[in-house]
Amino acid sequence: MKNILLTGAAGFVGHHILEKIITVTDYNVVCIDRLDFAGNLNRLAEIKELYPELSKNRVKVIYHDLKAEFNPYRDWE
């Protein structure tokens, strides 16, 4: 099974793309969203309610801002 990374999944366009992916394919989806002014958790909850069996084990949501700094800790040095 293939995996897809979808950014902005709680936004208007992102949640429609997520809905299409889980209804048309058998791909797993990892969603990253920073939940700013455009992101709305209700959109993701709606997809979970409409497609409980399709989204149960296939959709993972991570709340993170991709512009945030990375952890400077380096274990390999």
Side-chain angles (χ1 to χ4, degrees):
M1 190 173 298
K2 294 184 180 183
N3 298 307
I4 292 178
L5 175 64
L6 177 62
T7 60
F12 180 76
V13 174
H15 88 279
H16 285 294
I17 293 172
L18 175 61
E19 182 177 19
K20 190 66 163 183
I21 291 169
I22 65 170
T23 57
V24 176
T25 71
D26 64 345
Y27 298 170
N28 293 321
V29 184
V30 176
C31 306
I32 297 179
D33 204 304
R34 68 180 179 179
L35 296 175
D36 61 353
F37 64 93
N40 186 342
L41 280 178
N42 292 332
R43 292 182 178 128
L44 296 177
E46 179 181 304
I47 290 175
K48 187 176 180 180
E49 290 175 14
L50 288 173
Y51 310 101
E53 291 304 315
L54 293 177
S55 63
K56 184 177 181 181
N57 295 321
R58 293 177 42 205
V59 177
K60 305 288 185 241
V61 179
I62 299 171
Y63 306 105
H64 180 67
D65 185 355
L66 293 175
K67 294 188 292 185
E69 292 184 25
F70 288 104
N71 185 351
Y73 177 77
R74 294 184 185 176
D75 191 55
W76 62 85
E77 291 184 350

